[in-house]
Amino acid sequence: MDRKYFGTNGIRGIIAELITPAFISKMSSAIAASLKDKGTVVVGADSRLTGPFIKNNVISSFLASGNEVIDLGVVPTPVVQYAVTHLQAKMGIVVTASHNPPEFNGIKVIDDDGIEIDIEKQLEIEEIFEKERFSNVSWNENGSITEMNLNQEYIDQIKQFVNVDRIKKKAMTVVVDTGNGAGSVVTPELLRQIGMRVITINGNLDGRLSGRGSEPTPEKLREMSKTTQQIKANFSVAHDGDADRAIFGDENGNILFGDKSITLFEKWFMKHHDNKQFVTPISSSSAVVDIADEMGGKVLWTPVGCIFVSRKMISSNALLGGEENGGLFYGLHQSVRDGAMAAALMAHILAETEKTFSDLISELPKYHQKKNKVACPNKLKKNVMEHIASTIPESVELVDIDGVKLIYQEGWVLIRPSGTEQIFRIFVEAKTEIMANEIMKDGMNLIQTALQELN
Ligand code: MG
């Protein structure tokens, strides 16, 4: 069965189109009805202008179905996740559209272990939604609302995992661009408390996201880069709208792809911990394998999506995960993406070395990456992948945990069906640019040939 409303990470849509008070009311009633036992539910929102109407609607549904609600106000997604486990809540709801533009909003549903609910639970909620099997209770069983601010407790927990004395001693400067999003209420304060000089950009909560927008792409982070160079900061960090991701820049203002920073975290982690497992989606750079080989560690692959990484970390007792989009999962803190944790950990890593950020990055394995897409009707996607799998020579290693990944001597290609568009996304990585182009050409050909033969 396919999901109708839940996407890769929660439900998202455009305000006044999918996201209306009526829809949110019905959907949050379905979410509340999916809870087997009544209890405490934690609710937070990112900084979007439309957060209040959605959050109040969500709160109403939970109160009417007999749950106690704790309202955390405007907070990053990882603060809600921390609150769920910290307060032993039954569930958490984050009103956010993450990196999407301001006309979007939506909800992420957090399970009682602090991790986003899995696909089975999403399907269950959608079924309740369709059949309108809500669980409203009588007047004298309605819940009540408590407002709570857990930001400092969350900050205190992160501080336990970094060496505050050493960071203070190093007297570093960091430029933080929270993109007017929820990270504004936590990350600058955390970095100040661990002894850094913090310069903020777009650091005010602004529901219109009128600074650089909520997606931290290199083009949007030019001001952060420029400021880093001008004030000679040690590094910079930017978040998406709900601050579960962190994109870093070095002391020269170069914005790093997430692959680089997670590989740096992996290297540091494997050097300092006995548990040398690293969990990452199949689309990540082979650099993570090179580092694991070098450090005597192991990479555990997952399908693309943060929920898969979190669940794999739990099931395999791994303590570190990373995504190429800048998601860092630090299991000692919590097994979910956490932008503020990533920022503090980077400060810790830089404080324990004499090297600069760009030095550390230049020591990592180098690869060339390419991305492309090919149109393909949804109904043919599965057949195309099967066709490709059946035609490749035996000498090529095939991994099919998400799409088709073909691993050659010189590099790899990953062919993934988009969940939202009628296209295949193609990711290629190789040691040289020429080789990356070659592999891309081959990958595109494989899809075209399959399409021709299937038509
Ligand atoms: Mg996000």
Side-chain angles (χ1 to χ4, degrees):
M1 208 167 97
D2 281 339
R3 294 167 294 169
K4 192 170 165 196
Y5 299 107
F6 279 90
T8 346
N9 204 334
I11 296 169
R12 268 179 228 171
I14 295 176
I15 298 297
E17 290 182 15
L18 176 70
I19 307 295
T20 61
F23 173 79
I24 293 295
S25 183
K26 198 174 153 186
M27 183 53 79
S28 52
S29 296
I31 296 168
S34 75
L35 278 175
K36 302 285 174 278
D37 311 304
K38 309 289 174 212
T40 299
V41 175
V42 180
V43 180
D46 73 13
S47 64
R48 283 162 205 272
L49 202 59
T50 53
F53 99 68
I54 299 173
K55 191 179 78 175
N56 287 318
N57 242 303
V58 168
I59 290 175
S60 293
S61 300
F62 279 102
L63 295 176
S65 57
N67 292 283
E68 299 298 321
V69 173
I70 291 176
D71 181 359
L72 298 175
V74 172
V75 285
T77 292
V79 172
V80 176
Q81 295 174 304
Y82 163 80
V84 167
T85 52
H86 187 70
L87 301 169
Q88 292 172 325
K90 298 280 180 206
M91 190 177 259
I93 302 285
V94 195
V95 176
T96 179
S98 188
H99 62 274
N100 290 117
E103 64 271 26
F104 283 77
N105 213 338
I107 41 186
K108 288 184 180 179
V109 185
I110 313 296
D111 220 332
D112 60 0
D113 59 0
I115 300 172
E116 292 89 339
I117 56 166
D118 57 26
I119 292 175
E120 285 71 43
K121 286 191 179 162
Q122 295 168 14
L123 285 168
E124 192 189 324
I125 289 167
E126 292 198 357
E127 199 187 334
I128 300 171
F129 177 92
E130 295 296 347
K131 294 182 175 159
E132 303 195 14
R133 285 196 190 136
F134 306 134
S135 60
N136 293 328
V137 297
S138 68
W139 69 271
N140 54 355
E141 289 170 353
N142 268 238
S144 57
I145 314 175
T146 311
E147 284 182 15
M148 211 178 265
N149 184 331
L150 284 181
N151 295 355
Q152 187 55 48
E153 284 177 54
Y154 166 81
I155 287 173
D156 286 341
Q157 173 157 313
I158 292 178
K159 282 158 74 179
Q160 291 172 24
F161 301 110
V162 298
N163 188 331
V164 177
D165 288 340
R166 191 147 56 185
I167 296 170
K168 276 191 179 142
K169 229 173 172 175
K170 183 100 185 231
M172 291 184 285
T173 301
V174 60
V175 180
V176 182
D177 183 344
T178 45
N180 306 116
S184 311
V185 304
V186 167
T187 303
E189 178 62 22
L190 163 68
L191 296 176
R192 271 182 207 114
Q193 288 187 23
I194 61 174
M196 302 190 79
R197 177 173 168 247
V198 178
I199 309 297
T200 57
I201 293 176
N202 302 313
N204 58 316
L205 292 176
D206 170 3
R208 296 173 194 276
L209 306 173
S210 47
R212 52 109 168 136
S214 51
E215 181 154 29
T217 56
E219 308 78 62
K220 299 278 181 66
L221 299 177
R222 291 220 178 92
E223 198 187 344
M224 182 173 96
S225 296
K226 221 168 70 190
T227 310
T228 306
Q229 287 173 304
Q230 279 168 349
I231 63 168
K232 297 191 171 21
N234 297 74
F235 73 100
S236 61
V237 60
H239 294 314
D240 63 334
D242 63 335
D244 53 354
R245 298 195 278 126
I247 295 292
F248 291 93
D250 70 13
E251 77 282 6
N252 302 315
N254 298 310
I255 304 300
L256 308 170
F257 287 104
D259 263 343
K260 292 283 180 195
S261 49
I262 61 168
T263 311
L264 186 61
F265 283 124
E266 178 200 14
K267 189 175 177 181
W268 169 83
F269 188 83
M270 288 188 180
K271 193 173 158 192
H272 290 91
H273 291 82
D274 292 333
N275 184 338
K276 296 183 198 299
Q277 302 181 93
F278 181 65
V279 181
T280 197
I282 196 76
S283 54
S284 291
S285 170
S286 297
V288 300
V289 179
D290 298 345
I291 292 296
D293 289 347
E294 184 188 326
M295 311 300 288
K298 196 176 172 205
V299 174
L300 307 177
W301 300 107
T302 70
V304 176
C306 64
I307 304 175
F308 298 112
V309 176
S310 292
R311 300 269 166 225
K312 183 83 181 171
M313 285 175 69
I314 303 288
S315 67
S316 56
N317 284 320
L319 294 173
L320 193 73
E323 291 178 319
E324 50 95 24
N325 60 12
L328 179 81
F329 307 65
Y330 194 57
L332 293 169
H333 166 54
Q334 51 180 355
S335 298
V336 294
R337 297 197 291 211
D338 192 317
M341 181 72 240
L345 206 55
M346 194 59 89
H348 174 93
I349 292 172
L350 288 168
E352 68 179 21
T353 173
E354 291 303 311
K355 294 175 183 169
T356 62
F357 199 149
S358 60
D359 289 340
L360 294 180
I361 295 299
S362 69
E363 292 168 2
L364 298 175
K366 285 179 193 60
Y367 284 95
H368 292 264
Q369 287 156 337
K370 303 270 165 203
K371 285 183 187 178
N372 214 328
K373 50 191 171 186
V374 173
C376 175
N378 281 341
K379 61 177 195 308
L380 281 181
K381 282 175 175 171
K382 199 164 168 261
N383 295 343
V384 167
M385 289 192 290
E386 283 168 3
H387 187 277
I388 292 171
S390 68
T391 52
I392 59 145
E394 265 185 28
S395 58
V396 179
E397 189 188 338
L398 183 142
V399 184
D400 61 357
I401 61 174
D402 189 353
V404 191
K405 186 175 186 179
L406 307 175
I407 305 170
Y408 307 95
Q409 202 73 34
E410 307 81 9
W412 53 261
V413 55
L414 171 66
I415 297 166
R416 276 190 76 226
S418 162
T420 48
E421 293 171 72
Q422 309 228 14
I423 54 165
F424 274 110
R425 293 188 195 283
I426 308 156
F427 305 82
V428 164
E429 186 182 80
K431 273 283 177 195
T432 65
E433 174 120 42
I434 297 170
M435 201 43 85
N437 287 330
E438 284 293 311
I439 296 176
M440 178 58 84
K441 221 163 47 190
D442 291 350
M444 306 274 283
N445 276 339
L446 282 172
I447 303 174
Q448 307 288 14
T449 312
L451 277 169
Q452 277 163 15
E453 290 188 16
L454 290 166
N455 260 325

